Amino acid sequence: MSKKSLAEIAKEMAGIDIAILSTHTEAGEIANRPMSNNGDVDYDGTSYYFTYEKARTVADIQRNPKVALGFSSEAGLFSKGIYVAVEGTAELIRDKAAFQQHWTSDLDKWFDNGIDTPGIVLIKVRAVRATYWSGREEGEVTL
């Protein structure tokens, strides 16, 4: 098993905007949905995603903050692409100052009133482990 650093993995992940966020439902099943990290792609082990308070994602995280993220670059497995699976803990943030820190104009198409949109929540995911596959190389980083 290869040993890349988080910085090396992050360099390969640069530009990956969409992740699949997985949570645990009330019945204990796994729920998956695509989430944009809003172009905040300088990965340091923490990811941020906006959603609405009424989304099942929020209820799932309130019950069980253990989540997973899946990232895939546009290139294929045996080219210069990378696949990354992240296990982490999610935190729900309802602070407008934090919203402002992570807001980009691309979010305006989803949230009509920007950071003042009623019922928005920022999901912060802190990674505890990241597993990656890049060509024939694979490895794991514990954070």
Side-chain angles (χ1 to χ4, degrees):
M1 194 176 256
S2 176
K3 262 308 210 194
K4 285 186 187 219
S5 69
L6 180 60
E8 291 170 311
I9 295 168
K11 185 176 179 183
E12 289 190 51
M13 288 174 67
I16 300 176
D17 178 41
I18 302 295
I20 297 297
L21 171 63
S22 304
T23 58
H24 300 273
T25 68
E26 189 173 6
E29 297 167 341
I30 304 292
N32 303 289
R33 78 276 298 151
M35 300 290 285
S36 171
N37 63 22
N38 316 310
D40 192 0
V41 294
D42 293 327
Y43 191 68
D44 64 358
T46 304
S47 300
Y48 297 89
Y49 307 94
F50 283 93
T51 192
Y52 283 99
E53 183 77 45
K54 293 182 180 182
R56 182 176 71 190
T57 309
V58 172
D60 287 353
I61 290 169
Q62 286 173 326
R63 264 190 316 281
N64 185 346
K66 293 183 185 219
V67 300
L69 296 167
F71 297 90
S72 175
S73 64
E74 289 185 24
L77 184 58
F78 291 107
S79 59
K80 295 186 181 203
I82 191 165
Y83 297 88
V84 181
V86 174
E87 296 171 45
T89 303
E91 175 185 349
L92 300 170
I93 299 171
R94 295 172 176 91
D95 176 58
K96 285 187 183 181
F99 294 175
Q100 188 65 46
Q101 262 186 318
H102 298 283
W103 196 264
T104 66
S105 60
D106 289 343
L107 291 165
D108 293 337
K109 63 184 153 215
W110 294 101
F111 305 97
D112 295 335
N113 296 318
I115 64 168
D116 295 317
T117 301
I120 64 170
V121 177
L122 180 62
I123 300 169
K124 177 180 181 178
V125 178
R126 285 194 179 127
V128 294
R129 180 170 50 179
T131 306
Y132 66 89
W133 299 264
S134 182
R136 294 181 187 268
E137 184 180 359
E138 66 179 87
E140 186 176 286
V141 174
T142 303
L143 296 129

